[in-house]
Amino acid sequence: MNQTKNFSGLVSLMLAVLIGALPFAAPEACAQALREGLTLCSGPLLLSLYPFLVVSALLIQCPLGDVLALPFRPVAWLVGVDAPCAARVLLVGFLGGFAPAANASAEAVRSGQMTPEEADRLLPACVCSGPSFVILTVGQTLLGSTEVGVLLFLAQITANYLCAALLSRLSRTNRNEKRLSPRPKQQEMPRLRLDSILAQSTLTYLKLCGFVLFFRMLAAGAGALLPPAVSTACAMLLEVCSGCDLASRTGYWASTLCCAALSVQGLSVLMQVRTICPPEMTLRPLYTTRALHLPLSLAIFTLLLPEQEAEVFSTLPARVILMRRLPPDCAVLLLVGCSFAVCQLTNLLLQRDFQETSPGNLDSSRLL
């Protein structure tokens, strides 16, 4: 126990020294990153994020929002969450991205509409960048193609749903949730007060801007001191906006690295989600699915990417030909094979659980 505390203290000391020395080692890069971060928070981010924080708080308290969220009911069923408000949370995540989705999940847990376990299981399907950022900023501005931005968003959101559904099927604790953690009695819906919603949304937005500024400064400082390849990888691990910006300048691998940056999301996004969500939510399913999300999103993006010349990318020369798309018949066979493998694995786990819980198979040593 003492060794763990000593190790944590040593890591904290090293981080404090590195972060404190970074502005002195690269003052111009850090100052420029902070100025760009303030411009981002007062401009595009303010327009694309702040209204959706208000919308998420309003929508999660409005049962009539189920009509708008009707197309997301099958997704909630695949994820294994039967709460009526689950489709509304998925709708908020699809339109607004990770921050409004985390805010909607937190509001649902506080109001008793979902248990913390259900919110944890639903969150991996919602943590992604919003369509406005992926399509307009990454696709149209950085890569020079709105079509590629649409494909990046489709690959990201599809991988989210598949990872969340797969984790729900393979998790043994999820199958016993009704017995271990019953849903509490839903509290009576409070009156909608726009003043409190606006105040809470404003505080949440200011917290998110603080994370954006801090991690953009770290990414810029690392980019000024490290080689280009290492600085790009550090930016992708730290902050998604800086990661996509540096990845779009890598030439041939620009679109693939942008897809990887959107999949990783960065430490900044994970810490923002942790700040928004209540302590009852462990976020373990979210952390577990990030490792699977990266190869899956890259595979889906490669399948969706059409065979065409690279003139659609502003960062690529015209003579470069993109990677070919998998033929439709092979793609269908691959999907069927993967589905069959997942079904067989799920059946094996269910049979093992049934044998372990069967009264006739109780171990005599356990009885003693």
Side-chain angles (χ1 to χ4, degrees):
M1 188 68 178
N2 292 331
Q3 293 180 354
T4 304
K5 290 183 178 180
N6 293 334
F7 179 75
S8 301
L10 180 61
V11 172
S12 300
L13 178 61
M14 293 176 61
L15 287 177
V17 172
L18 290 176
I19 295 172
L22 191 61
F24 297 96
E28 296 181 359
C30 292
Q32 180 65 23
L34 291 175
R35 286 193 293 267
E36 293 176 354
L38 289 174
T39 303
L40 177 66
C41 292
S42 62
L45 190 63
L46 180 64
L47 180 62
S48 61
L49 180 57
Y50 180 71
F52 284 101
L53 292 175
V54 180
V55 169
S56 63
L58 290 172
L59 190 61
I60 204 65
Q61 299 183 28
C62 180
L64 296 179
D66 291 334
V67 178
L68 299 176
L70 189 61
F72 294 91
R73 285 284 183 86
V75 179
W77 177 77
L78 288 175
V79 175
V81 179
D82 299 329
C85 67
R88 279 176 271 163
V89 176
L90 291 171
L91 173 63
V92 171
F94 183 86
L95 296 177
F98 67 91
N103 189 49
S105 300
E107 291 292 336
V109 172
R110 296 189 187 101
S111 61
Q113 299 182 69
M114 283 197 304
T115 63
E117 293 84 358
E118 289 176 328
D120 274 329
R121 193 159 66 246
L122 191 65
L123 205 56
C126 305
V127 174
C128 62
S129 298
S132 60
F133 173 74
V134 179
I135 298 174
L136 298 180
T137 303
V138 180
Q140 184 176 0
T141 303
L142 298 181
L143 296 175
S145 173
T146 305
E147 178 186 359
V148 174
V150 173
L151 297 180
L152 285 172
F153 180 72
L154 291 178
Q156 178 187 218
I157 199 69
T158 304
N160 272 17
Y161 294 160
L162 292 177
C163 289
L166 181 61
L167 184 65
S168 176
R169 294 297 181 272
L170 298 181
S171 177
R172 297 175 59 183
T173 58
N174 291 339
R175 292 193 292 271
N176 297 327
E177 181 187 354
K178 290 184 178 179
R179 179 171 58 88
L180 297 178
S181 179
R183 185 181 304 170
K185 184 179 180 180
Q186 183 172 341
Q187 302 174 3
E188 183 180 356
M189 279 294 179
R191 292 179 55 187
L192 292 176
R193 293 191 55 182
L194 187 58
D195 56 345
S196 60
I197 291 177
L198 290 176
Q200 184 65 32
S201 300
T202 303
L203 291 177
T204 302
Y205 181 75
L206 292 177
K207 293 178 182 179
L208 300 184
C209 288
F211 284 101
V212 171
L213 292 175
F214 177 74
F215 283 99
R216 282 186 74 91
M217 183 191 69
L218 291 184
L225 300 176
L226 299 175
V230 180
S231 63
T232 301
C234 289
M236 293 169 59
L237 294 175
L238 289 174
E239 207 262 328
V240 62
C241 297
S242 301
C244 290
D245 186 17
L246 294 179
S248 64
R249 306 175 188 176
T250 55
Y252 182 79
W253 298 100
S255 60
T256 303
L257 289 179
C258 285
C259 183
L262 292 171
S263 175
V264 174
Q265 287 292 301
L267 184 61
S268 174
V269 169
L270 297 179
M271 293 188 68
Q272 291 176 49
V273 174
R274 177 68 277 178
T275 301
I276 297 174
C277 294
E280 294 82 7
M281 297 176 60
T282 62
L283 304 188
R284 288 178 189 144
L286 176 62
Y287 302 147
T288 303
T289 55
R290 299 325 292 177
L292 178 61
H293 190 279
L294 179 59
L296 187 58
S297 61
L298 290 175
I300 295 174
F301 178 67
T302 303
L303 295 178
L304 294 176
L305 194 64
E307 177 187 357
Q308 55 184 329
E309 291 188 356
E311 288 87 359
V312 296
F313 297 99
S314 60
T315 56
L316 301 182
R319 63 180 180 274
V320 177
I321 304 300
L322 296 178
M323 183 179 291
R324 292 176 176 269
R325 181 174 56 184
L326 195 67
D329 53 348
C330 296
V332 172
L333 291 176
L334 180 63
L335 178 62
V336 172
C338 293
S339 302
F340 179 76
V342 171
C343 291
Q344 290 297 323
L345 183 60
T346 303
N347 292 333
L348 290 176
L349 291 175
L350 290 174
Q351 291 177 3
R352 186 183 64 180
D353 293 344
F354 177 76
Q355 292 176 359
E356 291 178 355
T357 57
S358 178
N361 295 330
L362 291 177
D363 192 357
S364 59
S365 61
R366 295 182 181 179
L367 296 178
L368 296 176

